Amino acid sequence: MLGGFICAPPFIPDCPDTPATYQNAESVAACQRELDRYAAMTAAYRDCLERQIAVAVRHANDVLDRFHCLSQRNCPPAAESK
């Protein structure tokens, strides 16, 4: 498992598909606020997924590099711990 966390997708607001939303200006404004929050949460979700993808790609590249190094017996010496 990579990263130890998951990216939680945002919940889609119901208000755009609810006829009562369009009954008065207050309901329309409330729905607009929900949609604004949804858009912000969607952007945060996308950023989280992009970070997880970057971590997965780095991990895969590290594994492949290590394999090629060992299979070709061409590994640089390990750094000494101090």
Side-chain angles (χ1 to χ4, degrees):
M1 181 185 294
L2 294 175
F5 66 94
I6 61 168
C7 300
F11 290 104
I12 300 170
D14 292 332
C15 66
D17 296 322
T18 304
T21 297
Y22 308 100
Q23 301 279 325
N24 58 59
E26 293 84 17
S27 294
V28 170
C31 185
Q32 182 63 59
R33 286 189 299 275
E34 282 187 56
L35 291 171
D36 291 344
R37 281 191 297 274
Y38 175 68
M41 290 170 37
T42 299
Y45 177 58
R46 180 198 64 225
D47 292 344
C48 180
L49 291 174
E50 288 173 350
R51 285 189 304 273
Q52 282 194 326
I53 289 167
V55 168
V57 168
R58 278 193 305 273
H59 180 72
N61 287 339
D62 290 347
V63 169
L64 291 168
D65 289 347
R66 185 74 178 147
F67 169 76
H68 290 132
C69 167
L70 292 171
S71 67
Q72 296 169 8
R73 299 175 191 247
N74 189 23
C75 296
E80 291 184 21
S81 299
K82 291 185 179 184

